[in-house]
Amino acid sequence: MEQKTPQVGPETTGSFQPGNSPVRSSWRDLPETSQKYYPDYFFAGFWIRLFAYVIDLLCISAITTILLGTIFNLAGLTRGSGTFSLFGLLSLVIYLAYFALLTKYNHGQTIGKMIFGIRVVCFTEEQLSWATVLVREVACRFILKTPPFILGYLITIFTPNKQHLGDYFADTSVVTLNLIKAQQESGELHGTDRIS
């Protein structure tokens, strides 16, 4: 007997048993619908995200100076100023790895986001998957790093879910943690990530 695999899309998601009935074994499972709902005021605005980004840039600069500066000084190498120099490419790798690894392994938070109490969430996943992180934090961040495309961050101001260009491609946004915790404690918020 051939077992049917349910189609995962906008209508259904989660764990399925034979017979195609959705099963939720705990609150960590995906909700019955793939879209999560957050009220508009939960989304972190442009300025708080910008300040968190500046903190992250300071952290990345410190990491790059300590790691690459030490290695280049000990090896007697000169630091190239171009993007495609050895130093420039390694700096880019550190920049992208910082955002990708912290976002994935620290529940959607970099150091800057932790300081300001904000977090990346996906509208279609309980936990950020590698695919989502790679699209948002590597591909889109690489594109948005270049001068004409950096304006893609400004659309955060005008969108209802405060999404920049990379958020649209990854189906993510950034939310304020204190508002989510307060709503969860009062029992008014359902179908979103649990904050622990």
Side-chain angles (χ1 to χ4, degrees), residues 9 16 23 26 33 47 66 73 75 78 89 93 102 110 150-151 154-156 164 172 174:
F16 288 88
V23 174
S26 73
T33 61
W47 292 109
I66 292 168
N73 287 339
T78 59
L89 289 174
V93 168
L102 279 177
T110 58
I150 202 162
L151 297 175
L154 290 179
I155 64 171
T156 304
H164 62 61
T172 57
V174 178

Side-chain angles (χ1 to χ4, degrees), residues 77-110:
L77 299 171
T78 59
R79 296 180 192 182
S81 60
T83 304
F84 295 106
S85 66
L86 179 60
F87 187 82
L89 289 174
L90 291 175
S91 296
L92 178 64
V93 168
I94 290 172
Y95 173 84
L96 296 174
Y98 172 88
F99 284 106
L101 295 175
L102 279 177
T103 300
K104 175 62 180 162
Y105 291 118
N106 198 28
H107 307 291
Q109 291 186 292
T110 58

